[in-house]
Amino acid sequence: MNVKKTIWLPVIMIGTFILEGVVSLQFGQSLFGESRLFIPHFLLIMLVIMTAFYKRNVALIYAFILGILFDIYYTGVMGIYFAIFPFVVYITEKFLKVLHNNIVLVGLIAIFNVILSETLVYAFYYLIGTTTISFADFIDYRLWTTILFNLAFYLVVFFPFRLFYSN
């Protein structure tokens, strides 16, 4: 039994879950001001790295569990991240069957998944009438800053977690 992965992997993922909420609340307005928003998708990025360098089935289990926890704790709509997180793992796994695991390609896949998940959440909230901003405003005020911030997080965590998952 690999103690490092059976004990530390859940601790890291739960810590990432908590960090995502803390960063969103504490640093959102001070980094980009009142007019811009960013949504940290740290769990999504960690799931992409886990899918790239660890076992897909383990990543799927974490995606389902963390998706339902994310819905319960952070959103008012049940099921959206419960569906998006496993979908992201599935898409990542399909991309990686064709592409190689390196920092650039995994980063592009991670950013693609951030864009996809943000767009799906926006579309869902727009359809049910929870948000009224236009798609152009969504891109201008929320998507670009979200992409940049999550790209920075990816660059910080890629090498340590690639080594963690590989050993």
Side-chain angles (χ1 to χ4, degrees):
M1 178 167 88
N2 190 346
V3 175
K4 180 173 83 170
K5 291 193 179 105
T6 53
I7 293 175
W8 285 108
L9 187 56
V11 170
I12 289 169
M13 295 307 279
I14 290 171
T16 304
F17 178 81
I18 294 168
L19 179 70
E20 193 166 314
V22 169
V23 167
S24 169
L25 289 173
Q26 295 298 320
F27 301 110
Q29 293 179 349
S30 63
L31 288 177
F32 297 110
E34 296 282 331
S35 64
R36 305 271 188 239
L37 292 172
F38 77 93
I39 307 300
H41 285 290
F42 300 159
L43 283 174
L44 196 72
I45 291 171
M46 295 296 283
L47 287 169
V48 167
I49 295 171
M50 184 188 297
T51 304
F53 297 104
Y54 197 52
K55 300 171 188 162
R56 179 193 61 126
N57 291 339
V58 174
L60 273 174
I61 292 168
Y62 275 96
F64 279 117
I65 292 170
L66 292 170
I68 196 69
L69 287 175
F70 197 91
D71 283 337
I72 291 169
Y73 194 73
Y74 290 122
T75 66
V77 179
M78 290 300 293
I80 190 155
Y81 285 100
F82 181 70
I84 288 176
F85 284 177
F87 183 63
V88 162
V89 169
Y90 176 77
I91 287 176
T92 301
E93 194 261 332
K94 293 301 176 192
F95 278 143
L96 291 173
K97 281 187 174 182
V98 177
L99 304 171
H100 298 287
N101 294 356
N102 63 41
I103 187 171
V104 175
L105 292 177
V106 175
L108 288 173
I109 292 168
I111 295 306
F112 171 78
N113 285 325
V114 167
I115 293 168
L116 179 67
S117 66
E118 273 296 301
T119 306
L120 287 173
V121 169
Y122 167 76
F124 181 76
Y125 283 146
Y126 189 79
L127 286 174
I128 64 171
T130 305
T131 187
T132 57
I133 66 171
S134 69
F135 189 69
D137 288 340
F138 163 74
I139 290 172
D140 189 35
Y141 296 122
R142 182 173 169 161
L143 190 61
W144 290 114
T145 51
T146 298
I147 292 169
L148 292 175
F149 191 76
N150 286 293
L151 179 62
F153 177 78
Y154 170 78
L155 292 173
V156 168
V157 301
F158 177 79
F159 288 110
F161 287 105
R162 183 185 69 175
L163 290 174
F164 175 78
Y165 292 130
S166 297
N167 292 334

